[in-house]
Structures are given as C-alpha cells and as structure tokens.
C-alpha cells in the first residue's frame, strides 16, 4: 500500500488518504455489480474501520456515485443495507486514432459502452486537421441519441500508434509519420475540448482495458495488435508494463530478416513490414506464421502465460490467425521444454477494444488504479 506520510511535517496527507480510501471503496462497489456490497464487507475487505466506511459511503451517496441496492439477511441482528455503484453518474470518452480511421466510445463508470462513433481519418493530413477531427467526434459523441440527459465526460483517453511519451502526452516519430515528432497532442486536444486528456499507445490502452476486465488479472499476457501497423501491449504480473519511456511493446520492429523489406521505422526485415507485406499480397497464412514467430520470441523472452490477438486484420480472419500463431508458439514452447501450454486466443472486445481501453485511461485513477494510467492535463478535475 502507498504511503501518504508528508515528510515535511510527518503528518498524514488527509486529502490524499481520503481520496485513496474512497477509491478502494468505489472499486469494490464496481466489482460487486448490481447485487451490491454491505458496509461491513467493505470494511473487512479494505481494512478500514466501519466508521470510516460509513463516512466514505455517505459522501459517495451524496455525490450520486453510490446508491442503496436493497437489504441482505445477516447472521444476527437487523438485515444489512447493501450499496452499489451508480454507473450513469459519470462518463469517459475513449478515442482510437488509427492511421486511417477514428473510433470513439462513450462509456459509463463500469466501462460499458453507452454510444459509439466511427469515421475516416487521414493521419498524414497534419496535426491541426487530426485534432479538429478528434474534437468534433468527441462533441458529436456526447450529443448522440442517448436516453435521458448524460453527465458530461470527466475526461478523454486517446490511444494511437507510437512511439510517444505517455507522461507528457507528446508524440514521437510515429511509424510512417515522422512529422508528428514532438507534437503535444494531449495539451492541444485538452485546450480544444476544455476536458482532461490522457494519451497512450493503442496497444497499451487495449492491454489496460483487458487487465482491468480481469483478463489474467494476476498473471502475464501479451496483446498483439495487427491492423495498419503491428504492436504489443504487455501485462506482467498483473500490471501494465510501459517501460520508462513508453518504449515497451514496440513489438513490430524486431528484425526477423536482415535483408528483408524496408520498414517505415527505417530498418529492414521488421516483423511489421513482413506481416503487412504478406497481408498485402493476400497470403494471410504467411502473415500468421511470421506473427507466430515473433510471438514465440516474446514468449521465450518473457515467459508470459497467454497471447491475445487483436486488430482489424486479425479479426477479419480470426480463426486462421489463432490457428497459425498458436501452432508456431506451441512449437516454440515445446522446444523450450515448457511444461505448461501458452494459449493463443482472440482478444475480447473486437475492433472497439482499443477505444474502450482508452476510456479506461480516464476511469482507472477513480478506482484506485492511478499507477495503471498516465496523468492527464487538468487531472485535478473531478469526473462528472
């Protein structure tokens, strides 16, 4: 557990502690679903006193984030009141900016999609055009036909190809689009929308969403995304692994063939270039074999438990890719003497997985998962 001791005066940082404790309670309310959870159970599972839990839940109810979900029989005394999260009390937007397409989702506090949009995008049209298109889709999404009034989103998570600096929200030399190097996308979009904005790589966002949804929550998996490019999101020991410079997961740029085709990153024979070349000539079995070879390298290097496949190219031929990648990975594990199988499956969520994961970049800190998501501009603003 994090320490909230203020070293300057050896006192406790009460606002931070209150925020942390409320996040613990909110996370348990979210996990309990419609059935709800009692205050006594909240105290037992958080380690907080019943009095502290009562104060926190009273505040959450006053803020509209929690509500009664009925009563439950107890082993002695009067029935216990159970509480639940109010999903519609707040919303977040997730944006997936691909090289040729934009996807946007509006989700409630549970991560359930309330509305979605999809539009063409030309990432090569320049920063101003892309930021304007993204801002327009966010505005249109919030105004879409959702039953009843919808509280405004508390923030926008943006996921897009890397490399980038997730902490500063600044793009680097995006593969194929080096002119974006140094562009402060987070600040530009936040200024346009007047909302907190968080930026991360598309593969990291998808992996975060999968991890928070309980996909091998305490284990390790790789999310491999093959669409207009190829990358990986890594969850190691239940935590998203970005690396100090958001450089982890540049999976598509491991060199498999020294004399191979030129890649957009400047190297030759990268797995991304080989996969995309095979896809372009219609040889999906070769693309799966190449992807499997690279996935086998990753499994051998990190000893991960599972490989999840995503991206539009994969979903267009899901069974073929699962079979082809799975066969190569299984052979690699067998040669390495591995006693346990490393399953290869399609990632849940389909083509919206990245956008939904991007929304979790905003929601995660509200539920005490601040370490999972980078900071946003205007991060002090509450989720509406």
């Amino acid at each position: 557990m994090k320490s909230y001791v203020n070293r300057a005066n050896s006192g406790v940082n009460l606002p931070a502690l209150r925020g942390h404790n409320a996040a613990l309670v909110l996370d348990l309310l979210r996990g309990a679903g419609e059935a709800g959870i009692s205050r006594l159970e909240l105290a037992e599972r958080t380690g907080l006193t019943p009095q502290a839990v009562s104060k926190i839940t009273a505040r959450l109810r006053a803020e509209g984030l929690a509500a009664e979900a009925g009563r439950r029989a107890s082993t002695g005394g009067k029935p216990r009141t159970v509480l639940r999260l109010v999903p519609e009390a707040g919303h977040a937007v997730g944006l997936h900016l691909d090289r040729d397409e934009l996807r946007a989702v509006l989700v409630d506090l549970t991560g359930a999609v309330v509305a979605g949009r999809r539009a063409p995008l030309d990432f090569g049209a320049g920063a101003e055009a892309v930021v304007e298109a993204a801002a327009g889709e966010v505005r249109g999404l919030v105004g879409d036909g959702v039953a009843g009034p919808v509280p405004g989103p508390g923030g926008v998570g943006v996921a897009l190809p890397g490399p980038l600096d997730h902490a500063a929200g600044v793009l680097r030399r995006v593969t194929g689009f080096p002119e974006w190097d140094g562009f402060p996308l987070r600040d530009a979009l936040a200024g346009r929308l007047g909302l907190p904005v968080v930026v991360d790589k598309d593969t990291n966002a998808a992996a975060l969403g999968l991890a928070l949804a309980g996909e091998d929550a305490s284990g390790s998996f790789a999310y491999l995304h093959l669409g207009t490019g190829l990358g990986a999101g890594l969850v190691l020991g239940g935590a998203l692994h970005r690396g100090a410079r958001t450089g982890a997961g540049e999976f598509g740029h491991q060199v498999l063939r020294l004399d191979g085709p030129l890649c957009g990153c400047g190297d030759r024979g990268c797995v991304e270039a080989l996969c995309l070349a095979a896809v372009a000539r219609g040889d999906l079995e070769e693309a799966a074999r190449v992807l499997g070879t690279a996935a086998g390298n990753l499994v051998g290097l990190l000893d991960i438990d599972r490989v999840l496949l995503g991206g539009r190219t994969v979903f267009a031929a899901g069974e073929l890719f699962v079979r082809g990648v799975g066969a190569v990975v299984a052979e690699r594990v067998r040669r390495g003497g591995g006693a346990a199988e490393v399953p290869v499956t399609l990632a849940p969520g389909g083509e919206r997985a990245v956008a939904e994961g991007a929304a979790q970049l905003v929601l995660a800190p509200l539920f005490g998962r601040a370490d999972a998501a980078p900071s946003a501009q205007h991060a002090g603003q509450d989720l509406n």
Side-chain angles (χ1 to χ4, degrees):
M1 183 177 290
K2 295 179 183 177
S3 171
Y4 289 89
V5 175
N6 184 326
R7 296 181 185 274
N9 57 20
S10 299
V12 175
N13 184 340
L14 292 177
L17 184 60
R18 284 198 300 270
H20 172 72
N21 291 340
L24 292 177
V25 171
L26 276 172
D27 197 37
L28 289 172
L29 289 171
R30 180 174 61 167
E34 288 292 324
I37 186 171
S38 71
R39 292 178 180 83
L40 180 59
E41 290 171 303
L42 289 171
E44 290 172 346
R45 296 178 63 179
T46 59
L48 299 172
T49 66
Q51 293 82 1
V53 168
S54 292
K55 289 181 180 179
I56 291 170
T57 54
R59 180 160 58 89
L60 294 178
R61 291 183 64 186
E63 293 170 351
L65 291 168
E68 286 193 10
R71 293 180 180 274
R72 184 181 302 161
S74 66
T75 55
K78 61 182 182 180
R80 298 174 186 165
T81 300
V82 293
L83 301 171
R84 64 173 179 86
L85 181 72
V86 179
E88 63 273 17
H91 295 81
V93 171
L95 282 179
H96 178 193
L97 304 182
D98 208 343
R99 293 171 176 87
D100 61 356
E101 181 181 84
L102 180 155
R103 284 180 180 268
V105 295
L106 179 71
V107 306
D108 66 20
L109 293 182
T110 68
V113 175
V114 176
R117 292 170 71 94
R118 179 179 179 183
L121 183 71
D122 180 4
F123 206 73
E128 182 63 27
V130 170
V131 169
E132 182 56 38
E137 290 301 320
V138 172
R139 296 188 191 104
L141 182 68
V142 175
D144 269 351
V146 182
V150 176
V156 179
V158 184
L160 69 162
L164 54 83
D165 179 345
H166 78 277
V170 174
L171 303 193
R172 296 307 178 198
R173 294 177 63 85
V174 177
T175 305
F177 300 92
E179 66 274 15
W180 280 86
D181 190 15
F183 182 73
L185 178 62
R186 182 192 68 185
D187 293 352
L189 191 56
R192 191 70 59 92
L193 292 171
L195 290 169
V197 173
V198 190
V199 173
D200 208 341
K201 290 198 299 190
D202 46 11
T203 49
N204 285 343
L208 172 66
L210 292 167
L212 294 181
E215 193 68 44
D216 287 343
S218 61
S220 302
F221 67 85
Y223 167 77
L224 307 184
H225 184 97
L226 177 59
T228 59
L230 174 62
L234 303 175
V235 171
L236 306 178
L240 180 64
H241 179 69
R242 292 187 178 88
R245 294 162 294 280
T246 328
E250 287 299 319
F251 171 81
H253 301 298
Q254 55 177 302
V255 175
L256 293 187
R257 187 183 302 164
L258 293 177
D259 59 350
L262 185 66
C263 181
C265 72
D267 273 331
R268 286 190 174 275
C270 291
V271 60
E272 176 176 298
L274 295 170
C275 274
L276 294 181
V279 170
R281 63 177 182 267
D283 192 351
L284 296 185
E285 290 189 353
E286 172 66 6
R289 187 181 72 84
V290 172
L291 182 57
T293 301
N297 290 343
L298 191 61
V299 169
L301 180 66
L302 298 178
D303 194 22
I304 56 178
D305 303 317
R306 189 173 182 185
V307 174
L308 301 172
L309 304 179
R312 73 174 78 160
T313 301
V314 166
F315 289 123
E319 184 178 340
L320 183 152
F321 275 97
V322 168
R323 183 177 65 251
V325 174
V328 180
V329 169
E331 177 60 20
R332 174 64 179 265
V333 172
R334 186 192 66 77
R335 290 199 312 268
E341 179 187 3
V342 177
V344 175
T345 62
L346 292 178
E351 293 188 29
R352 290 201 310 198
V354 173
E356 292 182 30
Q360 291 293 347
L361 295 171
V362 176
L363 294 180
L366 181 68
F367 297 99
R369 310 294 184 91
D371 291 341
S375 59
Q377 189 194 50
H378 305 158
Q381 184 172 330
D382 289 335
L383 187 69
N384 291 332

